[in-house]
Amino acid sequence: MRRRLLPLALVGLLWVGSLPQIADCSGDPLVRQGTELMRNGEFSAALDILHQAAKRQPDPQSIDGLLGQAYIGFGFQLLEAAKYAEAEQAFAEAVDYRSDDPRPWQGQAIANLHQGRNVAAEAALQEALGLTPQDPVLYQLLGRAKYASGDMAGAVSALRQAVDLGSASARDMLAKVEAEWQLEQGMQRDFSSVFQLSYADDGQSELAGSILAVLEDAYADLGAELDFYPEIKVPVLLYTRKEFERVTASPDWAGAVYDGKIRIPIGGLKRMIPELRALLYHEYAHVVIRFLGKGRVPTWLNEGYAELAGRRQHHLDLDELDRAVAAARLLPWDRLNKGFNGLSKEQVLLAYQQSYSFCLFLVDQFGWHLFRDLIVALASGADLAAAFTSAYGDYGLTWQQLQNTWRDSL
């Protein structure tokens, strides 16, 4: 099960509206043109014009402030478009022109967090705090970065500072992190090249080693299929069922959760079994979709892919789907785009099986490379119909035609 993550870009975008008043610093018509483009939010075009203007200024540094503002505005526009690597580069350029402005560092931090580069995000936020040490937004982001990297004590400290400086929005996150930290302080920790596993020290060390091995298998297998190997560290936590319910507040049908960390209610299990192996593949698949799809993949497609990954490790019947097909009561895809909450238990089972069946159909009929193209198209901001056309248009197939062909195959 995939849970919605903190909308980091929205935190950063609050700064776009606070750009200082843009003032012409020269009689140069190019400078005036660049300034007007910035006022209209056309930052990329403004950068082209302002760089031309800088070349003919007696003192090119006289328009550094404008160039810095243009790079900042462009960086936040790229963040909003989920172009995180490009945004990071724009903010890095802005630092060169506005070295005393914390916003480029804040922007770099947000871009890095979206890419799972938590250590780089922390470093950027420390630079920003060196310029504005009393900014609660920066401390809240620092808490988020430390939380994502597993530094719970550091996360609590940063979030407390944000609250002390007046951030009301940091209070809920602080309460959540403190509750999790209380549980995690007594946990053992094991590491692999990609995963950081925390678990209670009650005879689970052998199982912990097996879990890390299976997750590494998932990293290799799913990476090979989609040609995508995210360079991140993924926290994984094992809980009792009661701890899991307290930490995640998940519906009772949830077998695990990925919310930036993989959380699994392991109970008293002591050894690897096929069901657990499937669950680990399923949850790691959500990690893949988060970073490849940049948070823009509809829930049913996310869950369908995760089911596809997991069911190859442990086969399950499709009884609910078979009954729905026979009774002509398949769930509408529009209903499944936003999530499965609010569905009955039977409908939840159907939602997972229906989503799995459609993803299996896509991969079996057209291959992994086009499935990857679909995810990348969604990541670029295309709507669902446009993304399907982008990926499968060479076959002359639209989103609606693919639905029809899939239904006919059932």
Side-chain angles (χ1 to χ4, degrees):
M1 178 182 176
R2 177 253 189 192
R3 294 285 294 275
R4 185 169 177 82
L5 305 169
L6 180 69
L8 294 167
L10 295 181
V11 177
L13 286 169
L14 295 176
W15 285 64
V16 175
S18 65
L19 283 169
Q21 181 66 34
I22 299 170
D24 296 341
C25 63
S26 165
D28 189 325
L30 285 180
V31 173
R32 291 197 299 272
Q33 183 183 355
T35 301
E36 186 62 27
L37 288 167
M38 290 173 66
R39 288 196 181 101
N40 293 332
E42 300 177 54
F43 294 106
S44 179
L47 283 166
D48 291 339
I49 296 298
L50 290 173
H51 277 297
Q52 293 178 44
K55 293 176 181 178
R56 65 190 202 184
Q57 298 297 313
D59 177 11
Q61 293 183 343
S62 64
I63 62 171
D64 277 2
L66 285 174
L67 279 165
Q69 290 181 54
Y71 274 115
I72 291 169
F74 187 43
F76 280 115
Q77 284 184 339
L78 290 167
L79 276 183
E80 191 172 17
K83 296 180 178 179
Y84 304 125
E86 296 94 326
E88 182 185 355
Q89 183 58 44
F91 288 124
E93 295 282 355
V95 169
D96 292 339
Y97 293 102
R98 296 186 68 91
S99 59
D100 59 348
D101 192 328
R103 290 171 300 165
W105 293 111
Q106 183 200 24
Q108 285 188 63
I110 295 170
N112 277 305
L113 281 169
H114 276 294
Q115 297 174 88
R117 299 171 56 190
N118 303 314
V119 174
E122 289 183 38
L125 287 165
Q126 294 293 356
E127 294 284 354
L129 284 165
L131 297 168
T132 52
Q134 300 300 308
D135 191 314
V137 172
L138 296 177
Y139 277 107
Q140 186 172 352
L141 284 170
L142 182 60
R144 176 66 176 85
K146 288 184 175 294
Y147 173 76
S149 66
D151 179 3
M152 301 298 281
V156 167
S157 176
L159 290 168
R160 284 176 178 168
Q161 187 73 13
V163 171
D164 290 345
L165 290 170
S167 173
S169 61
R171 291 183 183 277
D172 288 344
M173 186 175 182
L174 174 60
K176 171 182 169 61
V177 174
E178 285 180 327
E180 291 183 26
W181 188 34
Q182 185 176 6
L183 284 176
E184 291 181 32
Q185 286 185 81
M187 288 184 170
Q188 294 287 102
R189 286 174 175 78
D190 287 345
F191 303 87
S192 70
S193 60
V194 178
F195 301 94
Q196 305 168 349
L197 179 65
S198 300
Y199 59 97
D201 185 18
D202 58 355
Q204 289 185 330
S205 58
E206 183 176 347
L207 177 60
S210 298
I211 286 173
L212 285 176
V214 170
L215 285 168
E216 288 289 341
D217 288 345
Y219 183 84
D221 292 345
L222 303 190
E225 289 167 349
L226 293 179
D227 190 25
F228 183 68
Y229 301 88
E231 297 179 1
I232 55 174
K233 292 291 185 182
V234 182
V236 183
L237 297 106
L238 308 184
Y239 298 108
T240 66
R241 169 52 72 170
K242 185 176 293 186
E243 290 169 343
F244 175 79
E245 291 173 353
R246 187 163 81 240
V247 167
T248 66
S250 297
D252 56 8
W253 48 260
V257 160
Y258 173 65
D259 59 0
K261 301 181 180 184
I262 295 176
R263 304 177 190 274
I264 302 172
I266 208 71
L269 195 63
K270 300 297 183 184
R271 61 182 179 82
M272 182 60 60
I273 58 176
E275 292 88 345
L276 177 56
R277 184 177 178 88
L279 184 65
L280 292 169
Y281 267 73
H282 179 112
E283 295 305 323
Y284 177 67
H286 286 314
V287 180
V288 172
I289 292 297
R290 174 193 171 185
F291 288 102
L292 183 60
K294 299 181 180 179
R296 293 180 163 180
V297 176
T299 299
W300 71 263
L301 187 56
N302 193 339
E303 294 294 351
Y305 170 66
E307 283 289 286
L308 185 55
R311 283 171 177 266
R312 287 177 298 172
Q313 307 304 312
H314 178 63
H315 177 73
L316 295 171
D317 291 331
L318 298 174
D319 294 345
E320 198 65 37
L321 178 62
D322 292 340
R323 284 191 287 269
V325 171
R329 57 175 180 82
L330 291 171
L331 296 169
W333 297 111
D334 288 347
R335 170 60 184 85
L336 302 181
N337 280 341
K338 298 298 183 182
F340 298 171
N341 288 336
L343 299 176
S344 68
K345 286 187 177 180
E346 292 75 14
Q347 288 176 319
V348 168
L349 280 174
L350 175 57
Y352 277 101
Q353 292 178 17
Q354 180 176 321
S355 302
Y356 159 76
S357 175
F358 191 80
C359 289
L360 178 63
F361 162 77
L362 291 177
V363 171
D364 278 353
Q365 295 297 313
F366 306 103
W368 281 110
H369 63 295
L370 293 186
F371 189 86
R372 185 188 195 280
D373 289 347
L374 172 64
I375 302 302
V376 171
L378 289 164
S380 73
D383 63 27
L384 197 59
F388 271 98
T389 297
S390 173
Y392 299 97
D394 286 348
Y395 285 87
L397 293 171
T398 66
W399 163 223
Q400 186 60 56
Q401 289 170 325
L402 284 163
Q403 292 177 66
N404 296 340
T405 304
W406 165 73
R407 275 197 302 267
D408 291 343
S409 72
L410 296 176

